[in-house]
Amino acid sequence: MELYWGVTMSALLGSKRSSGCSLIRNATKLIMGTSSMNLRSIVSPSCESNSASCQLQQARTFIQMRTNLKVVDNSGAKRVMCIQALKGRKGARLGDTIIASVKEAQPRGKVKKGDVVYGVVVRAAMQRGRCDGSEIRFDDNAVVLVNKQGEPIGTRVFGPVPHELRQKKHLKILTLAEHIA
């Protein structure tokens, strides 16, 4: 959701975990300059009754510290948690490298639970614009584990991988991928 009235997103959000409905409600309060008015009837009467649909409208953000990510290679890890994004102050996007801690792992894999590893973000829930004007967005956040030189630890990559990794010089990941989106 984008706002074009000069209102910053941080002014609208009371906390980072507010739903899309409260974001709309706070924006309406700031624009109208009143909080005594009954805004539920103005904004969206269905948001109050169905909280599950409000969760679907939640803003998608960068991959930042403490973000849980799915591992989509056969290195042995199943789930990792981001410790640090190596590029950018806000966080990591498609093709960026992160440092992560392994939270779940297979019993006889190459990496173990508790290991600190490098990973390349191959799927991100935050949308990214393409040169042709389209936008790409995935349903989950996923990484491929790499070593310090940037070579993949695993020998297979599962699921779709965007072709934007070619610009970020991750050609080995593209060659191992099942499907390039």
Side-chain angles (χ1 to χ4, degrees):
M1 184 179 121
E2 297 178 11
L3 298 174
Y4 296 104
W5 299 297
V7 179
T8 62
M9 295 298 274
S10 61
L12 297 177
L13 294 172
S15 69
K16 289 186 179 182
R17 296 191 185 268
S18 67
S19 67
C21 295
S22 64
L23 178 70
I24 295 169
R25 195 173 305 110
N26 290 340
T28 311
K29 284 180 187 179
L30 284 174
I31 293 166
M32 294 181 147
T34 179
S35 61
S36 62
M37 200 171 164
N38 186 4
L39 295 175
R40 289 182 184 156
S41 61
I42 295 172
V43 177
S44 173
S46 64
C47 280
E48 296 300 322
S49 63
N50 190 1
S51 64
S53 67
C54 288
Q55 295 300 324
L56 295 176
Q57 297 173 357
Q58 195 168 19
R60 296 167 183 251
T61 59
F62 289 92
I63 294 169
Q64 53 196 351
M65 189 183 299
R66 297 183 60 96
T67 300
N68 285 312
L69 301 109
K70 182 179 176 183
V71 179
V72 292
D73 61 4
N74 62 348
S75 61
K78 293 180 183 177
R79 187 175 58 89
V80 296
M81 183 178 72
C82 178
I83 296 173
Q84 182 181 11
L86 293 181
K87 184 180 178 186
R89 287 184 8 216
K90 292 183 180 179
R93 297 181 75 175
L94 277 177
D96 290 344
T97 305
I98 63 169
I99 300 174
S101 172
V102 178
K103 293 298 177 185
E104 289 181 28
Q106 295 173 349
R108 289 174 290 280
K110 294 178 185 174
V111 295
K112 305 290 183 220
K113 180 179 176 183
D115 288 352
V116 176
V117 293
Y118 288 87
V120 175
V121 179
V122 294
R123 290 200 294 263
M126 184 177 178
Q127 63 190 17
R128 177 184 167 103
R130 288 188 164 175
C131 295
D132 61 353
S134 64
E135 292 178 338
I136 186 164
R137 175 177 59 204
F138 294 97
D139 291 337
D140 60 347
N141 296 318
V143 294
V144 170
L145 300 185
V146 296
N147 58 13
K148 287 188 177 184
Q149 290 77 30
E151 301 164 351
I153 294 174
T155 57
R156 296 174 66 194
V157 176
F158 306 111
V161 173
H163 67 81
E164 280 86 2
L165 293 180
R166 188 178 312 276
Q167 298 165 350
K168 302 275 187 164
K169 308 291 189 237
H170 297 295
L171 296 176
K172 182 71 174 172
I173 295 173
L174 283 172
T175 59
L176 296 175
E178 288 179 346
H179 177 70
I180 298 173

